[in-house]
Amino acid sequence: MKYDCGFTKENNWFRYRTGGILVHDNKMLFVKSGIGGYYYMIGGGVHLGERSDKCIEREVFEETGIKAEADYLAVVCENFFRGHGGSIDGFDCHTIEFYYYLKFSEDEVKRCKSVTDSGEELVWLSIDEIKSSNIKPDCIKENIDMVLNGRQTLHIIEERDR
């Protein structure tokens, strides 16, 4: 059995996760949250003993059907927020998130599912829409130009939603 790197202690919730930056035809892939109506990047919890780059490749395949390869680490985000809805509702949350830029073939895009295995919608948002869309964490949309056009890893501490 595989275990995600995370734990709950009293009113605190921690998770180590990865996120994928998938860009095709000037659009970027997001998941539309079933709770709250915001968008977030495809990804999931890193398993104990798993490399973060292999985690995002696994998660992208499981959730979308796309076989992608981690190209480079674009963002490290220390994200602090108050949980709203679902299993983290009311918790003080802290996540360490590694966002990888992924490469994949044109044929793989055709394999992309329309919903994740948990029933959330997969949406290709145009790059122009990202800055005006409700995307979590906020730092992704605010830094989207550097995320997409830079080859340096951004380190961001996001704590506005605490």
Side-chain angles (χ1 to χ4, degrees):
M1 172 172 262
K2 302 286 184 178
Y3 294 98
D4 284 354
C5 296
F7 61 89
T8 302
K9 175 91 172 159
E10 297 168 355
N11 196 49
N12 300 288
W13 179 83
F14 174 82
R15 189 172 189 209
Y16 170 32
R17 78 176 297 270
T18 60
I21 302 165
L22 290 94
V23 178
H24 175 71
D25 283 345
N26 207 36
K27 295 178 181 175
M28 188 168 151
L29 185 61
F30 287 91
V31 179
K32 185 168 186 182
S33 174
I35 301 170
Y38 59 89
Y39 298 96
Y40 65 94
M41 288 174 5
I42 195 82
V46 178
H47 292 166
L48 287 171
E50 182 179 39
R51 289 176 21 180
S52 61
D53 60 336
K54 296 305 175 194
C55 172
I56 193 54
E57 291 171 0
R58 173 183 56 77
E59 286 286 349
V60 165
F61 181 71
E62 289 173 0
E63 297 291 335
T64 70
I66 294 174
K67 289 183 183 174
E69 183 181 331
D71 190 16
Y72 63 91
L73 179 61
V75 180
V76 173
C77 180
E78 299 179 52
N79 193 2
F80 300 88
F81 59 96
R82 185 80 169 163
H84 295 286
S87 63
I88 61 170
D89 191 44
F91 280 89
D92 293 320
C93 301
H94 175 190
T95 60
I96 302 294
E97 303 167 354
F98 285 16
Y99 291 102
Y100 282 91
Y101 195 94
L102 295 149
K103 54 186 177 182
F104 51 95
S105 72
E106 181 77 28
D107 288 339
E108 291 299 322
V109 175
K110 297 172 190 168
R111 292 182 176 90
C112 189
K113 301 174 187 177
S114 59
V115 295
T116 66
D117 56 0
S118 62
E120 292 179 308
E121 184 181 3
L122 290 166
V123 178
W124 290 93
L125 288 178
S126 79
I127 302 298
D128 296 336
E129 290 179 87
I130 291 174
K131 288 183 182 176
S132 62
S133 296
N134 185 12
I135 293 171
K136 297 293 180 190
D138 291 319
C139 61
I140 295 299
K141 71 179 179 182
E142 292 167 356
N143 292 286
I144 196 64
D145 294 330
M146 286 190 297
V147 169
L148 296 178
N149 301 316
R151 293 284 296 198
Q152 283 185 274
T153 304
L154 298 175
H155 175 219
I156 300 170
I157 299 173
E158 177 62 71
E159 54 186 340
R160 287 174 279 185
D161 293 334
R162 272 189 157 174

